[in-house]
Amino acid sequence: MNKIILLVLGGSIGTLCRYYGAGWAQARWGDWLPFGTFFVNMVGCLILGLLLGFFESRYQSLVQVPVELRLLLITGFLGALTTFSSYELEALLYIRQGAWERALLYLMGSIVLGLGVMLGGLKLSQWLCSR
């Protein structure tokens, strides 16, 4: 039962962050691309990179992190915050509309920038943990 509570707590907070973060980004940058989804995916990649660095610093590997902490932060919070399935759906909708350029820009931008942001979060957390 405690695992369920951790998932619900993390998921609830992640859902609220996704809703408000995506809404903010979409209002700020317009609707030419689904910037709200893109924004929360990049934030999620950054947070996951930071967590990975902190966890590896403290526990040596992700599998050694207490399951409760992984459920709360990764499965619950980040699972609700990031929207990979929505990302794929939005790309598919562009493709179905014949907007291949937008679909490819969105897909490749998310992949390349997401990996870069995650690596940046990892390096930042490693640097912070070495202090």
Side-chain angles (χ1 to χ4, degrees):
M1 186 60 168
N2 287 341
K3 291 178 181 179
I4 300 299
I5 292 169
L6 291 170
L7 287 169
V8 169
L9 178 62
S12 297
I13 295 168
T15 297
L16 291 170
C17 289
R18 173 184 171 183
Y19 176 76
Y20 287 109
W24 173 83
Q26 203 65 46
R28 180 168 175 85
W29 294 306
D31 60 4
W32 187 78
L33 284 175
F35 290 111
T37 301
F38 184 82
F39 175 75
V40 295
N41 280 336
M42 295 306 107
V43 168
C45 287
L46 175 64
I47 293 170
L48 188 51
L50 288 167
L51 287 174
L52 180 61
F54 288 128
F55 287 161
E56 287 178 346
S57 172
R58 172 88 162 104
Y59 300 102
Q60 285 67 54
S61 75
L62 192 57
V63 295
Q64 292 179 329
V65 175
V67 68
E68 294 82 7
L69 198 53
R70 285 185 283 147
L71 287 174
L72 176 69
L73 297 175
I74 296 175
T75 307
F77 177 73
L78 287 174
L81 173 67
T82 59
T83 55
F84 195 76
S85 59
S86 297
Y87 153 77
E88 293 291 340
L89 174 62
E90 290 163 339
L92 177 65
L93 294 175
Y94 280 129
I95 291 168
R96 290 173 70 190
Q97 295 169 0
W100 284 91
E101 304 84 12
R102 283 188 184 186
L104 289 174
L105 176 65
Y106 185 53
L107 288 168
M108 296 309 297
S110 295
I111 291 168
V112 172
L113 187 58
L115 182 59
V117 169
M118 186 177 292
L119 287 169
L122 175 60
K123 293 295 183 187
L124 177 60
S125 65
Q126 289 171 339
W127 179 78
L128 289 170
C129 289
S130 71
R131 300 242 164 259

